[in-house]
Amino acid sequence: MTVGTLATLAALGAFHGLNPAMGWLFAVARGLQERSRSALLKALPPIAAGHLASVGIVAALVTATRSVTASTVLAVVGGVLLVGFGLWRLLSERHFRWAGMRLSAAQLAGWSFLMSSAHGAGLMLLPVLVAEPVSGGHSGHLAAAPVGALPGLAAAGVHTVAMFGTALAVAVLVYEVLGVGVLRRAWFNVDRLWAGVLVAAGLVTLIRA
């Protein structure tokens, strides 16, 4: 992966980390509920693990099955998915809600996986992954899945590290300095912005294809 690709993956990860729906708000709520910074910090790793699993599955599938021929198909299908999913998020008022806050690490990871999948986190990496050149001289042929999946898994790892670092910084800042009251006074709907970015990324992917 090029430096530009790594920077893009990290930027997308930071963007996901800023989104309250991706977990930092949940972690802050856990910390406030138990009046413990430790509870906040313990909530974030399983949340990041669930996000990694969701993004990693999409990234691994894209990079394991791509070729010169398949890249165009992936780009078109992925672009349509991005636009469709983004429009659905823009127009939909439905949101996932969790009834309780007393969750184990495994339950937190599962919740994060579902939230990340429902919000199309893996789809955001699609324009970056399909733009990467095919390596190893396998033009026109499918790459072997175990080897071909590695770049996708690496991309998911870079993305998730940036997401985790950003979510950690925001969660600690809100918990220690601002408090959840600021969210009532200065709330910004990041989910709507994200949906708009999905649509824009899908259109760019379709145009490039």
Side-chain angles (χ1 to χ4, degrees):
M1 288 183 286
T2 65
V3 174
T5 297
L6 292 173
T8 302
L9 291 170
L12 288 173
F15 184 58
H16 287 176
L18 288 172
N19 191 338
M22 292 295 97
W24 69 257
L25 183 57
F26 196 106
V28 170
R30 285 288 296 271
L32 292 173
Q33 181 187 41
E34 301 186 21
R35 298 182 180 180
S36 168
R37 185 197 304 164
S38 177
L40 180 154
L41 297 177
K42 288 179 180 178
L44 286 172
I47 288 174
H51 187 87
L52 174 62
S54 176
V55 173
I57 288 173
V58 174
L61 286 175
V62 169
T63 55
T65 60
R66 62 170 300 163
S67 67
V68 170
T69 302
S71 291
T72 301
V73 177
L74 282 171
V76 172
V77 173
V80 171
L81 285 174
L82 284 166
V83 173
F85 196 86
L87 288 175
W88 179 79
R89 290 300 305 170
L90 281 172
L91 300 175
S92 175
E93 296 297 331
R94 298 173 59 187
H95 298 280
F96 283 86
R97 299 184 185 276
W98 199 268
M101 298 296 293
R102 303 289 184 180
L103 304 180
S104 66
Q107 289 171 326
L108 270 176
W111 170 84
S112 177
F113 177 83
L114 292 175
M115 286 296 292
S116 298
S117 299
H119 282 74
L123 293 178
M124 290 292 289
L125 273 63
L126 194 60
V128 181
L129 296 173
V130 299
E132 279 290 285
V134 179
S135 61
H138 292 284
S139 300
H141 301 283
L142 297 179
V147 176
L150 291 178
L153 294 176
V158 171
H159 171 86
T160 303
V161 168
M163 173 266 180
F164 175 76
T166 303
L168 175 62
V170 173
V172 172
L173 178 65
V174 171
Y175 181 82
E176 297 287 355
V177 180
L178 304 176
V180 293
V182 72
L183 299 178
R184 301 190 187 97
R185 298 191 299 270
W187 181 260
F188 181 75
N189 195 329
V190 181
D191 194 50
R192 295 303 187 196
L193 174 61
W194 192 359
V197 173
L198 277 171
V199 174
L203 292 175
V204 171
T205 303
L206 289 172
I207 291 172
R208 292 180 61 174

